[in-house]
Amino acid sequence: MKTPLAAFAALLIPACGAHAEDASLSAAPEPASYVRVCDAFGTGYFYIPGTETCLKVGGYLRVEAAGGDPNEQDTVPGGGGDSWSTRSRLALRLSSAADTEHGTLSTYGEAEIENVDNGPTSLNIENAYLELGGLRVGYSDTLYTEFTGDAGNTINDYYDVNYGDFGRTQIRYTYGEETGLSFALSAEDDSDANSSVVADAAKPDDDYMPDLVAAFGYSAEGFRIRAVGGYDESMNAGAVKLRMDGTLGPVELFAMGGWNTNGSEPNNYARWSGDWALWVGGTFKMTEKAAMNASANFDQGGDAEAALNMTYTIAPGFTVAPEINYRNRMDEKAGPNAKDWGGVIRLQRNF
């Protein structure tokens, strides 16, 4: 019996080996497909697999604590109370870009998830627009503010002397590069509720006529000048701003002035008191990791406010910024016991 069994086993083993070899060949893994880096539009982009569109994902996480009457942290009627306010925010940013025969086609979206004082968590869309060449359509900061920039690098860069910190759905065209001449035009949807400081706040801006903004600027090494004007169609009034920036070694300085075409009444683009407003400030780069920022604002109505902070980079992408704030006439604005000083500290991780 041993001889026939041995012969059968000798025939069976090679056959099984052949089948095992075929199975291993058919189950061989495919070559790995890696995401390609896209450097045509800056750092952080990668190609969406199977397309020529580049994508970038980023954002930041921010935690703040603020106190003092200027930051509306009074717990006693009439001001003068002691309290802290806390705020935590997660901002997610998504950018895409691709070359087309008409120029670069790009999109940008930014969503903010925020919680204040342990209350209900809110979701805010900060940006949602597309661009083709110099044309932009969608929701973003008004051209009136984006072209001239914020009032410095402080956290609370204004209280009462508002330079126009709001967003609009708009159609915009911009021409120019980072250096040399540039100009921009935009038609902006004004159907949202007006700021409470605007004279016709109770009147809905729900008609076919948009607000209009025009801007012009020139930039060279170490110097920049920009001008912008906004027209509030519902009030048949507007405002203009002129800003100059200069760099002297580690010091960056700016001055910006605003003029209300109808000083007796604030409008969508002139949200300060009186005919004129002034914003000044600067940044001193102390070291590679530390910088000091200052800003001060004034208007014809007698408002005066200021901020001073220092930002320090603890690790790449992670900064801390303590800041002191001043806002005049708080006894008139918040109650007889309110004080003019406050403060805030911010920790932020960019990614």
Side-chain angles (χ1 to χ4, degrees), residues 106-119:
S106 62
T107 63
Y108 180 68
E110 180 178 356
E112 296 177 348
I113 305 169
E114 183 171 280
N115 183 276
V116 178
D117 291 334
N118 305 318

Side-chain angles (χ1 to χ4, degrees), residues 166 168 190-206 211 232 234-235 266-269 271:
F166 59 93
R168 288 281 180 82
D190 63 346
S191 60
D192 63 313
N194 281 315
S195 165
S196 59
V197 303
V198 177
D200 65 346
K203 176 184 176 182
D205 287 343
D206 194 8
D211 286 351
D232 181 347
S234 66
M235 292 193 61
N267 59 68
N268 281 339
Y269 298 104
R271 300 189 177 196

Side-chain angles (χ1 to χ4, degrees), residues 9-350:
L11 291 173
L12 184 61
I13 292 173
C16 293
H19 285 298
E21 184 178 352
D22 291 341
S24 64
L25 289 175
S26 62
E30 297 181 358
S33 178
Y34 296 99
V35 174
R36 293 184 297 152
V37 173
C38 173
D39 56 8
F41 306 103
T43 59
Y45 283 88
F46 60 90
Y47 285 100
I48 299 175
T51 75
E52 293 301 314
T53 298
C54 298
L55 187 67
K56 181 178 181 179
V57 180
Y60 63 85
L61 193 147
R62 174 186 297 170
V63 180
E64 291 180 355
D69 291 301
N71 296 321
E72 300 179 350
Q73 296 309 306
D74 55 313
T75 57
V76 178
D82 295 323
S83 175
W84 284 95
S85 173
T86 58
R87 178 171 67 171
S88 299
R89 175 190 293 176
L90 173 63
L92 299 176
R93 296 167 173 166
L94 192 65
S95 306
S96 72
D99 287 323
T100 74
E101 59 182 323
H102 305 292
T104 300
L105 174 61
S106 62
T107 63
Y108 180 68
E110 180 178 356
E112 296 177 348
I113 305 169
E114 183 171 280
N115 183 276
V116 178
D117 291 334
N118 305 318
T121 298
S122 63
L123 173 63
N124 175 58
I125 301 299
E126 185 72 10
N127 289 281
Y129 61 83
L130 61 86
E131 291 181 314
L132 180 60
L135 183 67
R136 176 186 295 187
V137 180
Y139 183 82
S140 68
D141 283 346
T142 170
L143 174 64
Y144 178 76
T145 297
E146 188 173 310
F147 195 84
T148 51
D150 297 340
N153 295 320
T154 52
I155 297 172
N156 292 313
D157 56 356
Y158 79 92
Y159 289 107
D160 304 300
V161 192
N162 189 341
Y163 52 83
D165 184 19
F166 59 93
R168 288 281 180 82
T169 297
Q170 59 195 275
I171 180 169
R172 176 196 302 186
Y173 180 76
T174 302
Y175 173 82
E177 303 294 336
E178 292 186 2
T179 59
L181 296 173
S182 61
F183 69 85
L185 299 169
S186 71
E188 304 184 347
D189 179 14
D190 63 346
S191 60
D192 63 313
N194 281 315
S195 165
S196 59
V197 303
V198 177
D200 65 346
K203 176 184 176 182
D205 287 343
D206 194 8
D207 53 35
Y208 288 107
M209 182 64 185
D211 286 351
L212 303 174
V213 181
F216 177 82
Y218 175 78
S219 179
E221 184 177 359
F223 175 76
R224 191 175 187 185
I225 183 169
R226 289 165 283 177
V228 63
Y231 173 68
D232 181 347
E233 59 84 20
S234 66
M235 292 193 61
N236 193 27
V240 294
K241 289 188 299 186
L242 176 66
R243 173 170 177 154
M244 292 184 289
D245 295 77
T247 301
L248 298 171
V251 178
E252 300 174 357
L253 300 172
F254 80 91
M256 179 168 64
W259 180 262
N260 184 350
T261 62
N262 182 5
S264 61
E265 295 182 323
N267 59 68
N268 281 339
Y269 298 104
R271 300 189 177 196
W272 56 82
S273 177
D275 288 327
W276 59 265
L278 178 66
W279 302 265
V280 296
T283 295
F284 172 49
K285 295 182 179 179
M286 305 165 63
T287 67
E288 291 184 358
K289 293 186 175 184
M292 184 171 291
N293 305 290
S295 63
N297 315 326
F298 313 90
D299 64 24
Q300 189 185 35
D303 295 306
E305 52 202 33
L308 176 69
N309 73 26
M310 187 181 76
T311 59
Y312 183 78
T313 302
I314 299 174
F318 180 35
T319 59
V320 59
E323 177 174 292
I324 57 174
N325 306 118
Y326 171 78
R327 184 182 181 189
N328 77 332
R329 303 189 308 186
M330 284 302 299
D331 56 343
E332 301 175 12
K333 299 170 182 176
N337 298 318
K339 304 298 187 295
D340 293 344
W341 295 89
V344 60
I345 184 169
R346 170 183 290 178
L347 290 90
Q348 182 164 315
R349 170 68 164 102
N350 297 323

